[in-house]
Amino acid sequence: MWTVCITSISHVLKLNGYGGRQAKVNEKRLCFKGWETLVINKMELIDLKLPSGTKWAACNIGAEKPTEYGDYFAWGDTSAKNNYVGRTCETYDLDIYSLKMEDYINIRNVLADNYDAATYNLGEGWRVPSGEQAQELIDNCNWEWVPNYGNTEINGRLGISKINGAKIFLPAAGYLQSSNKLMMGDSGGYWTASPNMVVSNRAWSIAFDSNVINVFDHGLRYYGYSIRPVFK
């Protein structure tokens, strides 16, 4: 297995047409292993050939393997913490007008860079997925509940792209409320960058258990949810 390293995002597009180039060892911000796996800032990407061109990370923020739960974040927070309650969540109970006036969200009505945990932790180009990107992922994959995925004793949802057969695994990491770890192994909650446009204490998230997976608009913003970042 060889590695091609590239120095600008324009080269990412060229790689799919075999137009990439081998780079010096110190040019390693973007690294492409083989012709199938892209690694950016040490985070592996999965190309599911989604219509928007969005690529999803193989791991949650704070995880090193797809089966690791990683860190938990309140909506709009950029770091994990010890206590997930309303008073520790800056965005809790802020309506859309307030979110815009205080620059928590941008003109596209998604989290601004300063409040995007993916941008903050992984760098430029990484984002918490929008609600639209999350729905695109759900709609373009066939999903199954997998207990003991890969004999790791981790349960979760496996998505298989309807377009190219690539796979993405979301562990059932549960969520944090106050300092309590809830529903681990039974369900998963993954933030998007999109707030509920009507209810001021909620935001859109991917939520699932063994029966269903979809994008919902009722996640309480102070809950500690997982984040699966995207790159586009």
Side-chain angles (χ1 to χ4, degrees):
M1 178 65 72
W2 43 263
T3 299
V4 170
C5 294
I6 51 183
T7 56
S8 72
I9 195 60
S10 63
H11 288 132
V12 174
L13 301 178
K14 294 180 181 179
L15 281 169
N16 288 332
Y18 298 88
R21 63 179 178 85
Q22 288 192 343
K24 298 177 182 178
V25 174
N26 63 355
E27 295 176 346
K28 57 185 179 182
R29 180 173 181 270
L30 309 180
C31 293
F32 192 80
K33 294 183 178 180
W35 294 109
E36 299 178 351
T37 302
L38 180 66
V39 179
I40 301 178
N41 287 1
K42 299 182 179 180
M43 180 69 81
E44 180 180 328
L45 287 173
I46 301 171
D47 187 359
L48 300 153
K49 298 299 181 186
L50 299 175
S52 70
T54 301
K55 294 178 176 60
W56 285 72
C59 303
N60 294 345
I61 296 179
E64 295 183 353
K65 300 177 182 178
T67 51
E68 292 180 357
Y69 291 163
D71 294 330
Y72 295 81
F73 300 84
W75 191 82
D77 282 2
T78 55
S79 301
K81 54 191 176 186
N82 296 321
N83 195 23
Y84 294 82
V85 295
R87 67 177 182 276
T88 67
C89 177
E90 290 186 27
T91 64
Y92 189 67
D93 221 21
L94 293 180
D95 60 17
I96 295 301
Y97 177 80
S98 298
L99 289 174
K100 289 182 177 180
M101 290 301 295
E102 298 181 36
D103 294 326
Y104 285 106
I105 60 175
N106 58 29
I107 59 173
R108 296 184 294 110
N109 291 326
V110 295
L111 287 168
D113 289 354
N114 288 342
Y115 300 97
D116 187 299
T119 305
Y120 181 85
N121 287 282
L122 299 174
E124 183 181 356
W126 287 100
R127 301 288 304 179
V128 176
S130 67
E132 183 178 359
Q133 288 172 316
Q135 193 66 62
E136 180 187 52
L137 174 70
I138 300 302
D139 292 345
N140 285 278
C141 289
N142 293 313
W143 293 91
E144 59 181 292
W145 175 260
V146 182
N148 191 26
Y149 179 72
N151 294 317
T152 60
E153 300 185 357
I154 298 298
N155 304 333
R157 280 275 173 177
L158 179 66
I160 303 175
S161 172
K162 299 175 183 177
I163 303 166
N164 67 350
K167 298 178 180 180
I168 183 170
F169 180 71
L170 303 178
Y175 66 99
L176 298 185
Q177 182 181 11
S178 185
S179 58
N180 300 314
K181 299 178 180 180
L182 304 173
M183 303 298 291
M184 291 181 175
D186 295 320
S187 69
Y190 287 71
W191 284 128
T192 78
S194 302
N196 184 310
M197 299 294 286
V198 177
V199 184
S200 61
N201 61 1
R202 298 178 185 268
W204 289 85
S205 64
I206 297 173
F208 63 83
D209 58 18
S210 60
N211 297 310
V212 66
I213 180 170
N214 214 328
V215 185
F216 300 93
D217 67 353
H218 52 63
L220 285 168
R221 294 180 195 165
Y222 72 83
Y223 280 176
Y225 278 4
S226 307
I227 293 178
R228 181 61 62 91
V230 297
F231 194 95
K232 184 179 178 182

